[in-house]
């Protein structure tokens, strides 16, 4: 309990006091007030809490703090450069690619990871890359259109 | 001119309950207008549509509108945000309120300029006459709106609309896409404690013992709250609250409850408490022409709302007053039941709406609010946030009811339906708060002095609930429709998007295809020969055209199908065509939906709702069923309750009819029934045999094949 833990989040070194077993999700949301990473299932099954860890989309709900001490963590708030929106986020607004938007942060993270390694994905590749993200509202097609749009820009 | 009496008759209900102009809007000096609606944003885009309506009647830019989150202290009471009624209720009320507000503001501006209202020009709130000008904002004065809404102001004619009918970006999406705090889950009040509820993820009849010795000394634990079988924890850190919750779950022993029935559908048919004939039509001559009779039974399982964000609430008790933040769909109803459960006066409780994840009906939102209030009693004035975990939500939120349906119909020699019978068995489709003598809130039933759990009820026709859309829209000379209401509830049930319409339309439209086949007539032509309603015919024809229905080429394992309904038989028309491929599983390749919602407020909003409804219905239809075990609900995580994934979601094409002259109706629940039926009919077309039990999984199809051989 109460160890000092250093984390690199969105390019900045941050220090918090928590047990090293704490899931990253709660450190981000509560200690660092980065609320864009959301709780959905707590067991790596829905994608709502995805963050990039060294570039890989990873469930923050299932990731203890001790495992990310020397890793580079990027949350939805840090996707864009210098506080601007990421092209994916602009495309999501343009396509109105959400209904409730609760799944959106995690989807943006998966999509950003995809575009980083495959800047011109096919529709099928986009769908497959997002299969670990659940959306209950049925915004799937708009989301896919938005990701393809971002890839074109 | 219409008489006043006539206008009164068509007056929106929301105005009857909230008749003062000041209840609906406030004009500010800074050039903005606050709009108060009792309806809440649940991801359906209602706040955007209502802002459009308000801007239109006020004649100002939509950017000037601020939508005030619903709050029992300041908002008009408009009941529950449900049933696709928000545009009809709140939209119609706001339209009149804003038209009158504009007239009042214009009169005040004209008086200021010392001219007659006939001699002013007005644009975006700025009022000019003879070289001088003032504005709505300068005229803003609380006293101005302190009057009854009298329905005398002229409403803008739909032909002149500039904001309504234009695709308008959703006001809430920029925040949500930027990852900004917006949801109740994201709220962090100063001094807030984190709460979790220690409920077992299964039914129980009581708490036998709870050994808290192992967790009592955990650093950061603020309190363990126990009242009867209700147990909750409060902690300074969220992760600590979760650890204690888990440990206490293991340390508790629960008295077992009776197991649910093994065959729910058979059980429903044996346990009906009321039998109501809801439609009966007789024509002996027509009946005597019957040459062929068909019969079929259909079933629909329990479905979970399965929101991606489990329920959450915040509560604070300060000086005997309870303040609750909730993503409830009915804040006034929730306030009433909270007061009832806590033994408080209603005026000592305020409930404010904060957005949550999509709920699709009555999920755990209201229950979480009582949980938070109960924990707040032990928090010494600090605010408490309760977050349900995934298994809390699956195990404890109400389910959409299971249903069983029997249909029977007779054809004459020409292939016309001369007799029709539809019977359905179901629990009630609503156990929302605010309607009974006992609070409809989960924790209330587990307290030391427990309240009785109310049974789910059905709202009456014409909207109906279990029997929603059970009365066929087609014209049959003989028909009989019976609703068998089952009061006892093996599983807690309540409203899930479209209520009984999903199962009724699935059954009716599946059966229409069976009859068309027996008559040797194309399914669409067969429907059209039984349907007089011109708007219904138009959407069916539009869907068929877009899908190039008559040019379909059959190939092995592929099929197409149609489904059609008018939601509640008085709302939106929707025809769906599905194209599927049946391999091991069913894959939907394409969905085409033609929709008529009357006047369209926000075309992109309607299309978004229809697309979402169609995809959600595809998920229900192909994959979803709540599994039951000896201890109740056994689907506790996404692995036991799979939903449609990105790679499985079909492309959806939407055709929107344009009818600016007709009243606007909601779109959120129009697509579910027709989509299910279209898929089922396409599967039957592909396979040459029919699956009548939802969902249309691999196992179901395999069973149907083995039964047919
Ligand atoms: S909350 Fe982490 S994957 Fe669902
Ligand atoms: S937009 Fe609501 S869950 Fe995806």
């Amino acid at each position: 309990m109460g160890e000092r833990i250093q984390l690199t989040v969105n390019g900045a070194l941050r220090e918090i006091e928590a047990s090293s077993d704490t899931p990253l999700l709660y450190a981000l949301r509560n200690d660092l007030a980065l609320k864009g990473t959301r709780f959905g299932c707590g067991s790596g099954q829905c994608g709502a809490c995805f963050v990039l860890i060294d570039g890989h989309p990873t469930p923050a709900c299932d990731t203890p703090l001790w495992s990310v001490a020397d890793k580079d963590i990027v949350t939805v708030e840090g996707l864009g450069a210098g506080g601007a929106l990421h092209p994916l986020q602009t495309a999501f607004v343009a396509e109105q690619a959400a209904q409730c938007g609760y799944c959106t942060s995690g989807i943006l993270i998966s999509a950003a990871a995809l575009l980083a390694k495959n800047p011109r994905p096919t529709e099928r590749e986009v769908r497959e890359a997002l299969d670990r993200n659940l959306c209950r509202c049925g915004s799937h097609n708009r989301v896919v259109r938005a990701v393809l749009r971002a890839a074109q820009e | 001119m219409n008489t006043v009496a006539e206008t009164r008759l068509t007056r929106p209900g929301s105005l009857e309950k909230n008749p003062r102009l000041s209840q609906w809007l406030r004009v500010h000096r800074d050039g903005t207008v606050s709009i108060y609606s009792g309806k809440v944003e649940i991801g359906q885009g209602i706040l955007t549509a209502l802002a459009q309506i308000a801007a239109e009647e006020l004649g100002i830019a939509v950017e000037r509108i601020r939508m005030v989150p619903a709050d029992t202290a300041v908002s008009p009471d408009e009941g529950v945000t449900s049933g696709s009624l928000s545009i009809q209720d709140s939209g119609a009320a706001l339209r009149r309120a804003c038209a009158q507000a504009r007239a009042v503001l214009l009169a005040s501006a004209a008086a200021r300029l010392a001219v007659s209202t006939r001699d002013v020009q007005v644009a975006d709130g700025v009022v000019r006459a003879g070289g001088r000008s003032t504005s709505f904002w300068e005229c803003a004065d609380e006293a101005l709106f302190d009057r009854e809404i009298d329905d005398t102001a002229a409403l803008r004619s739909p032909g002149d609309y500039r904001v309504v009918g234009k695709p308008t970006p959703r006001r809430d999406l920029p925040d949500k896409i930027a990852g900004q705090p917006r949801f109740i889950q994201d709220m962090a009040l100063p001094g807030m404690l984190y709460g979790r509820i220690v409920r077992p993820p299964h039914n129980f009849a009581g708490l036998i013992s709870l050994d808290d010795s192992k967790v009592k000394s955990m650093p950061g634990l603020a309190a363990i709250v126990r009242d009867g079988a209700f147990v909750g924890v409060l902690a300074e850190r969220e992760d600590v609250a979760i650890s204690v919750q888990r440990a206490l779950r293991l340390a508790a022993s629960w008295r077992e409850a009776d197991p649910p029935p093994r065959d729910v559908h058979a059980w429903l048919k044996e346990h009906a408490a009321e039998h109501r004939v809801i439609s009966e039509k007789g024509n002996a001559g027509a009946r005597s022409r019957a040459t062929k009779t068909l019969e079929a039974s259909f079933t629909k399982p329990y479905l979970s709302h399965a929101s991606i964000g489990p329920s959450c609430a915040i509560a604070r008790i300060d000086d005997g007053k309870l303040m609750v933040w909730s993503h409830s769909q009915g804040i006034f109803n929730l306030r009433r039941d909270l007061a009832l459960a806590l033994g408080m006066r209603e005026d000592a409780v305020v409930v404010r709406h904060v957005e949550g994840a999509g709920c699709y009906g009555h999920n755990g939102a209201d229950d979480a609010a009582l949980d938070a209030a109960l924990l707040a009693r032990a928090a010494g004035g600090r605010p408490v946030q309760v977050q349900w975990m995934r298994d809390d939500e699956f195990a404890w939120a109400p389910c959409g009811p299971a249903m069983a349906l029997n249909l029977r119909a007779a054809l004459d020699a020409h292939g016309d339906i001369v007799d029709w019978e539809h019977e359905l068995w179901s629990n009630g489709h609503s156990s929302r708060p605010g309607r009974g003598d006992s609070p409809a809130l989960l924790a209330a039933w587990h307290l030391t002095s427990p309240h009785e759990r109310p049974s789910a009820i059905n709202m009456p026709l014409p909207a109906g609930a279990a029997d929603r859309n059970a009365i066929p829209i087609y014209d049959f000379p003989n028909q009989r429709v019976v609703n068998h209401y089952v009061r006892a509830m093996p599983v807690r049930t309540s409203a899930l998007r479209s209520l009984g319409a999903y199962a009724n339309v699935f059954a009716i439209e599946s059966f229409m295809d069976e009859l068309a086949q027996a008559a040797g007539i194309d399914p669409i032509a067969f429907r059209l020969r039984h349907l007089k309603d011109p708007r219904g015919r138009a959407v069916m024809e539009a869907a068929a055209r877009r899908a190039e229905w008559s040019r379909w080429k059959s190939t092995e394992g592929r099929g197409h199908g149609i489904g059609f309904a008018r939601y509640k038989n008085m709302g939106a028309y929707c025809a769906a065509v599905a194209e599927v491929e049946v391999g091991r599983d069913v894959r939907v390749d394409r969905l085409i939906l033609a929709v008529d919602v009357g006047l369209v407020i926000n075309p992109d909003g309607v299309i978004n709702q229809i697309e979402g409804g169609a995809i959600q219905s595809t998920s229900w239809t192909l994959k979803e069923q709540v599994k039951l075990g000896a201890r109740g609900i056994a689907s506790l995580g996404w692995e036991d309750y799979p939903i449609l994934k990105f790679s499985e979601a079909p492309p959806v094409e939407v055709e929107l009819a344009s009818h600016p002259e007709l009243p606007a109706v909601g779109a959120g629940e129009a697509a579910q029934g027709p989509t299910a039926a279209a898929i089922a009919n396409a599967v039957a077309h592909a396979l040459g045999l029919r699956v009548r039990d939802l969902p249309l999984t691999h196992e179901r199809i395999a069973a149907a094949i083995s039964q047919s051989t």
Side-chain angles (χ1 to χ4, degrees):
Chain A
M1 202 66 226
E3 297 159 54
R4 287 186 177 284
I5 297 179
Q6 291 195 326
L7 298 170
T8 310
V9 182
N10 299 331
L13 192 65
R14 311 285 298 266
E15 189 173 276
I16 62 166
E17 215 178 290
S19 142
S20 65
D21 291 337
T22 302
L24 174 61
L25 178 63
Y26 301 108
L28 293 173
R29 288 179 55 82
N30 302 336
D31 295 291
L32 300 178
L34 294 168
K35 298 283 190 183
T37 306
R38 302 214 154 85
F39 167 75
C41 67
S43 56
Q45 294 182 6
C46 75
C49 68
F50 278 11
V51 294
L52 294 174
I53 294 183
D54 287 347
H56 299 292
T58 309
C61 68
D62 231 5
T63 301
L65 288 180
W66 58 260
S67 71
V68 288
D70 48 358
K71 303 263 161 72
D72 191 23
I73 302 161
V74 176
T75 70
V76 66
E77 293 90 345
L79 271 186
L85 289 184
H86 187 280
L88 273 166
Q89 290 169 308
T90 324
F92 270 58
V93 174
E95 293 287 345
Q96 293 284 292
Q99 287 191 30
C100 77
Y102 198 87
C103 63
T104 307
S105 301
I107 289 176
L108 286 164
I109 292 289
S110 295
L114 169 72
L115 296 190
K117 57 170 209 272
N118 179 2
R120 289 274 182 279
T122 62
E123 173 171 344
R124 202 196 166 118
E125 287 169 333
V126 172
R127 287 185 185 270
E128 274 163 15
L130 298 181
D131 260 352
R132 291 163 67 207
N133 292 89
L134 299 180
C135 172
R136 183 56 164 162
C137 293
S139 304
H140 304 74
N141 294 329
R142 284 171 180 251
V143 165
V144 172
R145 282 202 291 276
V147 176
L148 291 170
R149 178 186 189 129
Q152 242 128 60
E153 277 163 7
Chain B
M1 258 317 264
N2 283 346
T3 62
V4 174
E6 211 173 43
T7 324
R8 289 259 169 222
L9 275 180
T10 58
R11 204 168 194 228
S14 289
L15 282 188
E16 294 299 335
K17 257 175 141 177
N18 309 281
R20 313 257 339 145
L21 198 49
S22 53
Q23 290 179 287
W24 295 92
L25 76 165
R26 210 159 289 173
V27 176
H28 306 289
R29 304 238 160 225
D30 66 357
T32 62
V33 177
S34 290
I35 296 292
Y36 297 82
S37 165
K39 300 292 180 177
V40 302
E41 182 64 50
I42 47 177
Q44 84 284 44
I46 191 62
L47 295 187
T48 307
L50 295 177
Q52 286 178 270
I53 291 173
E56 187 69 67
E57 289 301 335
L58 287 165
I60 62 175
V62 70
E63 292 75 25
R64 294 187 180 277
I65 304 288
R66 292 194 232 155
M67 295 300 299
V68 178
D71 182 322
T72 57
V74 299
S75 302
D77 180 357
E78 295 194 84
V80 183
T81 303
S82 66
S84 299
L85 289 170
S86 300
I87 294 283
Q88 282 116 297
D89 294 351
S90 203
L94 275 171
R95 200 174 164 209
R96 290 174 192 230
C98 290
Q100 185 172 352
R102 179 182 164 91
V104 167
L105 287 164
L106 267 181
S108 158
R112 232 170 221 261
L113 299 173
V115 294
S116 139
T117 48
R118 278 190 307 267
D119 299 327
V120 300
Q121 276 123 39
V122 51
D124 194 20
V126 177
V127 186
R128 291 196 169 79
R132 291 183 312 127
S133 77
T134 180
S135 68
F136 289 176
W137 342 119
E138 277 171 26
C139 299
D141 174 3
E142 301 260 303
L144 223 45
F145 291 167
D146 189 13
R147 60 176 79 204
E148 294 271 314
I149 297 171
D150 56 14
D151 298 340
T152 52
L155 300 175
R156 196 180 282 258
S157 131
D160 300 334
Y161 280 170
R162 287 197 238 160
V163 186
V164 165
K166 304 281 173 303
T168 304
R170 288 257 307 271
R171 351 188 93 214
D172 52 326
L173 289 191
D175 274 357
K176 290 172 176 175
I177 291 168
Q180 290 307 301
R182 174 99 197 186
F183 296 106
I184 184 154
Q185 287 88 349
D186 303 338
M187 271 181 77
L189 298 175
M192 190 172 84
L193 287 166
Y194 296 94
R196 287 295 184 277
I197 308 306
V198 186
R199 286 192 181 102
H202 56 75
N203 288 341
F204 63 88
L207 176 58
I208 299 167
S209 67
L210 179 74
D211 174 9
D212 59 8
S213 57
K214 287 215 185 66
V215 296
K216 261 205 158 127
S217 57
M218 287 231 341
L221 175 66
I224 295 173
V225 178
R226 179 168 172 190
D227 183 343
F230 171 85
V231 182
V233 303
L234 281 172
E236 301 288 343
R237 290 188 59 90
E238 193 165 15
D239 39 289
V240 172
I242 296 170
S243 303
V244 177
Q245 178 206 37
R246 285 198 186 130
L248 282 180
R249 263 193 186 179
L250 294 176
S253 95
W254 304 92
R255 208 172 4 266
E256 296 287 330
D258 293 338
R262 281 179 169 277
D263 181 344
V264 168
H265 298 106
W267 185 91
L268 286 171
K269 286 183 172 175
E270 286 157 12
H271 288 81
E274 279 169 31
H275 315 270
R276 188 166 299 176
V277 179
I278 57 169
S279 169
E280 194 153 35
K281 216 170 18 170
N283 177 330
R287 184 175 284 131
S288 70
R289 291 202 304 274
T291 54
K292 202 188 268 183
T293 301
L294 268 64
E295 256 178 275
S297 309
F298 300 85
T299 64
K300 176 222 147 182
Y302 291 108
L303 293 176
S304 177
H305 296 79
S307 177
I308 297 296
S311 297
C312 179
I314 298 177
R316 185 181 57 211
I317 296 179
D318 208 5
D319 203 16
K321 297 246 194 266
L322 169 64
M323 175 76 209
V324 171
W325 291 263
S326 167
H327 55 117
S328 167
Q329 287 178 283
I331 53 170
F332 288 90
N333 292 24
L334 172 59
R335 177 180 66 172
R336 176 185 174 278
D337 275 16
L338 283 172
L340 208 56
L342 297 163
M344 295 177 78
R345 287 168 47 124
E346 238 179 278
D347 58 13
V349 183
V350 172
V351 181
R352 182 176 301 162
H353 184 262
V354 185
E355 289 167 24
C359 59
Y360 328 108
H362 177 205
N363 67 353
D366 296 291
D367 300 320
L370 177 58
D371 290 347
L374 288 168
L375 296 194
R377 295 211 278 208
R382 293 172 70 179
V384 167
Q385 183 182 51
V386 165
Q387 168 72 67
W388 279 17
M389 302 302 280
R390 183 82 259 156
D391 54 1
D392 290 325
E393 189 78 26
F394 270 121
W396 290 105
C399 290
M403 289 174 70
L405 307 99
N406 285 359
L407 274 72
R408 206 166 64 84
L411 290 165
D412 69 8
H414 308 287
D416 285 326
I417 295 173
V418 291
D419 199 1
W420 179 272
E421 226 174 89
H422 178 139
E423 284 184 88
L424 65 101
W425 290 262
S426 173
N427 280 133
H429 283 243
S430 178
S431 52
R432 290 189 188 275
R435 292 172 178 166
D437 305 332
S438 176
L441 299 170
L442 178 62
W445 319 327
H446 299 154
L447 302 176
T448 312
S449 17
H451 295 269
E452 201 185 324
R453 179 178 87 163
S455 289
I457 54 155
N458 285 318
M459 289 74 77
L461 287 161
D467 50 9
R468 184 166 291 178
N469 279 91
I471 300 175
I473 187 171
Y474 301 106
D475 298 288
F476 303 140
N478 290 286
Q479 74 185 28
R480 187 162 191 270
V481 183
V482 189
N483 178 1
H484 301 279
Y485 168 66
V486 184
R487 186 172 293 112
M489 288 195 295
V491 170
R492 181 187 184 202
T493 62
S494 195
L496 172 65
R497 212 171 173 192
S498 85
L499 311 191
Y502 172 69
N504 287 315
V505 172
F506 160 72
I508 292 173
E509 290 291 290
S510 294
F511 202 46
M512 283 299 278
D513 260 38
E514 298 190 50
L515 289 157
Q517 199 185 6
I521 301 171
D522 170 80
I524 293 185
F526 184 73
R527 283 171 174 76
L528 290 174
R529 67 151 80 186
H530 291 98
L531 182 67
K532 290 204 194 87
D533 188 318
R535 291 170 74 189
R537 295 178 67 92
V539 293
M540 222 181 313
E541 282 160 355
R545 233 183 352 262
R546 173 87 171 244
E548 300 191 88
W549 177 266
S550 49
R551 290 216 246 140
W552 174 265
K553 301 243 171 343
S554 278
T555 45
E556 174 79 31
R558 296 198 71 233
H560 69 169
I562 175 98
F564 162 76
R566 179 183 196 186
Y567 186 50
K568 302 181 187 171
N569 285 338
M570 56 183 186
Y573 292 84
C574 176
V577 171
E579 300 179 1
V580 308
E581 206 174 316
V582 187
R584 186 183 179 278
D585 294 301
V586 177
R587 183 176 176 87
V588 180
D589 292 328
R590 186 179 176 211
L591 286 175
I592 298 108
L593 293 104
V595 183
D596 174 355
V597 294
L599 165 72
V600 177
I601 310 288
N602 185 0
D604 191 56
V606 170
I607 292 171
N608 200 350
Q609 281 292 290
I610 295 292
E611 285 175 358
I615 289 183
Q616 189 171 76
S617 177
T618 304
S619 183
W620 293 350
T621 304
L622 295 185
K623 306 186 80 151
E624 296 185 32
Q625 57 184 323
V626 172
K627 296 194 188 94
L628 297 183
R631 304 169 95 189
I633 291 173
S635 297
L636 298 173
W638 293 113
E639 75 279 21
D640 324 306
Y641 195 84
I643 62 172
L644 207 67
K645 294 191 292 190
F646 269 88
S647 57
E648 298 166 331
V652 182
E653 298 161 42
V654 181
E655 279 264 321
L656 212 49
S658 167
H659 284 297
E661 74 289 357
L662 294 172
V665 294
E669 298 169 292
Q672 282 77 352
T675 302
I679 294 172
N681 287 334
V683 169
H685 184 227
L687 289 176
L689 60 92
R690 184 162 290 275
V691 186
R692 300 189 187 87
D693 301 296
L694 293 170
L696 309 177
T697 55
H698 165 71
E699 294 75 25
R700 286 277 157 70
I701 290 169
I705 292 173
S706 77
Q707 261 167 35
S708 76
T709 50

